[in-house]
Amino acid sequence: MLLIGFTVVGWLVLTAVVYLIALGILSVVVENRRKATDRLVRGLVTVAFLLALIPLVSTLATVIAQGASQISWSYITSVGASTFDPNTLTVTQTPGALQAIVGTLIITGIAALISVPIGLFTSIYLVEYALPKQWLARTVTFLVDVMTGIPSIVAGLFAFSLFSIIVGPKAFSGFSASVALSVLMIPTVVRACEEMLRLVPGDLREASLALGVSKFATIVKIVLPTAIAGLITGIMLAVARIIGETAPIFLAASFTDNFNANPFEGPMQTLPVLAYTGYAFPGKDIAASNASAWGAALLLVILVVILNLIARIVAKIFAPKGMR
Amino acid sequence: MQSAPTSSSGSAVKTSSTTPLGGGGSNDSTATKRSTRVRPGDFIFRGLSTGSAVLIMVILAGVALFLIISAIPAITADWSTNSQLNTGPTAAFPNFWAYVGPLIWGTLWSAAIALLFGAPIGIGIALFISHYAPRRLASILGYLVDLLAAVPSIVFGLWGIIVIRPFLLPLSDWLSANLGWIPLFGGPVTTTGSTILAGALVLAVMILPIITSISREIFLQTPRLNEEAALALGATRWEMIRLAVFPYAKSGIVSATLLGLGRALGETMAIALIISPAILVSVRLITEGQNSQTIAANIALNFPIATTLQRDALIGTGLMLFVISLAVNSIARLIVNGKRGKRKKGKDKPSTPGPLSTLPSGDFASATAIDVVAGTPRIGVSDIEGPTPEEDIEGARY
């Protein structure tokens, strides 16, 4: 029976369990039951935390191990293609992710262009204009909260139905995917910006207003500059969040091996979708498709890490003096 | 009339950082008269902001509307006679409801298993970070858990394929051999590991960050005095948590769990990549090919190969998913908002500094803040009490 866990992880789990039980029993004997419970709980929450680190470390290690061999200069700069050799009757796949990188940047960029103004203005409305008891403010706050919970695939279905009703069937386009991502990104931007704007001390606004400055000028010249670090950080994190979305892009922009930099026409490839299709719909050469998927996944993780780093650096640089 | 306030506003912006509040008092009477006039810049800006807020309502309504419009043809069609629907993956179902029923079950089932793993661990982590970890480490540890949220779902899906599937194989074999008489572990045991158990485990990892971050936030809001009172009466740390933290955070934990559920319901990639599904109602955890399929994964797998009407049927299932997750999220938010509304009175500053704040009471902080704004030198109280983080920020800014 003990053989179930005859691996490193299994042994770690077993050790933890034995340790906790022994700790509990010893503590009951030596100290008392209350202390024993306390120690047991402390052990349990620590184990819970360590448990959460396992998938984090394991995921990153796996992605790096599997993807590192795939990533090369030619993988980043060439368009993936499969060529058929009529003489030997073999299909050779040249790995490449350029079409996916370009697609990801275009689609995410447009999504950010749509979401940031809407999100920022909504948060300005919520913080600066709306009275707390006003029904519109309460409704919008609630809807934003609910919108953060929209399944990403539903956003993709929405964009697909919207464009297939307006444009007609086969309405796959990068722009459609951007619309889908905007639905997911707007609530994140609103929440982040709202929080940051609320951190601006009310005294600043009152001081400005008391001096006869208009509300508009107060917001643009006092409130926004004070919060700018937080706003940029929040927006970068929102971008980092949607850049890895797979399902909505897959439905709205479909997938392709061709290079397509026009967001308004035809399917567009993106990194997450390249990673998905590499496994779910592999080409003739399954191993090559899978390897390509891992390369795309690693590129995606690198992009997310870069965005997170930028967000943090911006927060550091632009933060008002004395801010943590 | 128009030019006077703008010119004065320019100088006011520059000087507001140095002059005390009283400086602008000289033209008080004119300011009250002026305030009734609306400047065009103000009007436009206000319109833009309010418009964006309304636009959000329009978007949400639009999502529902377009899903309904697209789904109606498939929902109303007769599936057994329609040539587009009685072939392929939808062939076995007489109508839309027979198709979506098992999918809804699979969605709820996988999310429930994920929650079973994810919720206790997520809450445990939140507790560890907020009340057990060393204070210096707490924010870094919190950041580590937040990193989990930054990893794209597709990466977790791929990770599940090559790590979690083989990892669970021995466990599945053991469960099947020893506990096979329980329906949960019944059926032919998997050989590849593409089970709903593996999928749900990956889902659990993906919902950890949301459960953790919300519970942590709520745990940290527990009134410090209650905690100190419990400790002063001789409670152990766990007893303090049970007496002071949990009663206070109960609704927060419930809504964090519900939000985690909402996330698990909509996750696509982990399930689509890992499990080998069938559209049926089943509780089996460790078989392959007989796992209940989820709505989201079913859409992702069938969308590229579907006919027009089948696509509409998939959109219809998506509509159901939308309704379910909307309901779950609304309930969660209502619970957490109700709680927050009650708490607002006690909470004076939006910026609660890190874990275990040293802020004695709200009045003290706001009083000193006002002093600082008014330009009076900081004296007495603050020096004796030692400056709180809040004061440092304000002091530096003015």
Side-chain angles (χ1 to χ4, degrees), chain A residues 148-192:
Chain A
T148 51
I150 290 185
S152 58
I153 197 156
V154 170
L157 287 176
F158 157 68
F160 174 79
S161 10
L162 176 74
F163 279 84
S164 62
I165 286 172
I166 295 175
V167 186
K170 306 265 176 218
F172 300 115
S173 70
F175 184 66
S176 170
S178 298
V179 170
L181 290 185
S182 302
V183 173
L184 300 169
M185 189 176 167
I186 288 172
T188 330
V189 174
V190 175
R191 297 270 16 168

Side-chain angles (χ1 to χ4, degrees), chain B residues 295-351:
Chain B
I295 292 177
N298 186 51
I299 296 171
L301 288 175
N302 287 321
F303 205 79
I305 49 169
T307 61
T308 312
L309 214 50
Q310 279 173 347
R311 236 167 228 181
D312 291 349
L314 291 175
I315 292 174
T317 62
L319 180 65
M320 296 296 132
L321 177 64
F322 179 59
V323 171
I324 295 171
S325 64
L326 213 57
V328 169
N329 279 296
S330 304
I331 295 170
R333 290 298 176 184
L334 283 177
I335 295 174
V336 90
N337 287 352
K339 182 80 182 173
R340 202 176 280 162
K342 274 185 236 148
R343 199 178 297 145
K344 271 262 160 72
K345 287 167 205 153
K347 212 185 155 201
D348 37 72
K349 280 255 168 186
S351 59

Side-chain angles (χ1 to χ4, degrees), chain B residues 53 63 84 122 147 169 299 306 356 378 383 398:
Chain B
V63 171
Q84 279 193 45
L147 263 186
L169 268 181
I299 296 171
L356 310 174
R378 283 203 282 154
D383 288 340
Y398 293 102

Side-chain angles (χ1 to χ4, degrees), chain B residues 247-266:
Chain B
Y248 184 80
K250 206 165 24 178
S251 65
I253 294 175
V254 171
S255 61
T257 312
L258 279 177
L259 289 174
L261 177 68
R263 180 95 201 273
L265 289 173

Side-chain angles (χ1 to χ4, degrees), chain A residues 4 34 38 58 121 146 161 216, chain B residues 42 70 159 174 234 238-239:
Chain A
I4 43 162
R34 289 175 51 216
D38 189 45
S58 167
F121 272 116
V146 169
S161 10
F216 163 70
Chain B
D42 256 354
S70 300
W159 171 72
W174 185 84
W238 165 241
E239 283 164 343

Side-chain angles (χ1 to χ4, degrees), chain B residues 131-162:
Chain B
H131 285 87
Y132 281 94
R135 253 182 254 179
R136 282 165 198 281
L137 279 180
S139 64
I140 301 170
L141 299 181
Y143 178 65
L144 275 180
V145 176
D146 287 344
L147 263 186
L148 268 181
V151 177
S153 60
I154 181 72
V155 175
F156 276 123
L158 295 181
W159 171 72
I161 289 182
I162 73 162

Side-chain angles (χ1 to χ4, degrees), chain B residues 101-322:
Chain B
L103 288 173
I104 291 178
W105 162 256
T107 307
L108 295 176
W109 179 232
S110 60
I113 306 167
L115 213 54
L116 195 69
F117 294 124
I121 293 180
I123 294 167
I125 297 168
L127 212 51
F128 178 76
I129 294 173
S130 67
H131 285 87
Y132 281 94
R135 253 182 254 179
R136 282 165 198 281
L137 279 180
S139 64
I140 301 170
L141 299 181
Y143 178 65
L144 275 180
V145 176
D146 287 344
L147 263 186
L148 268 181
V151 177
S153 60
I154 181 72
V155 175
F156 276 123
L158 295 181
W159 171 72
I161 289 182
I162 73 162
V163 176
I164 286 290
R165 283 196 324 178
F167 172 70
L168 285 178
L169 268 181
L171 180 69
S172 307
D173 286 338
W174 185 84
L175 285 173
S176 172
N178 293 288
L179 296 171
W181 47 273
I182 302 176
L184 285 179
F185 309 119
V189 70
T190 176
T191 52
T192 58
S194 308
T195 63
I196 199 165
L197 186 67
L201 206 60
V202 177
L203 274 189
V205 173
M206 295 166 82
I207 63 173
L208 271 185
I210 188 166
I211 296 182
T212 300
S213 64
I214 292 174
S215 327
R216 186 180 61 188
E217 190 191 320
I218 305 266
F219 288 156
L220 285 177
Q221 283 174 4
T222 314
R224 184 86 181 109
L225 285 176
N226 291 11
E227 297 180 5
E228 279 170 359
L231 290 174
L233 288 170
T236 61
R237 190 163 286 249
W238 165 241
E239 283 164 343
M240 179 271 281
I241 288 167
R242 226 182 45 200
L243 291 170
V245 179
F246 278 167
Y248 184 80
K250 206 165 24 178
S251 65
I253 294 175
V254 171
S255 61
T257 312
L258 279 177
L259 289 174
L261 177 68
R263 180 95 201 273
L265 289 173
E267 274 304 335
T268 315
M269 287 307 145
I271 299 287
L273 281 172
I274 293 169
I275 77 171
S276 120
I279 300 177
L280 49 82
V281 177
S282 155
V283 295
R284 290 173 178 175
L285 292 179
I286 52 165
T287 59
E288 55 196 1
Q290 291 182 42
N291 295 299
S292 294
Q293 175 68 306
T294 70
I295 292 177
N298 186 51
I299 296 171
L301 288 175
N302 287 321
F303 205 79
I305 49 169
T307 61
T308 312
L309 214 50
Q310 279 173 347
R311 236 167 228 181
D312 291 349
L314 291 175
I315 292 174
T317 62
L319 180 65
M320 296 296 132
L321 177 64
F322 179 59

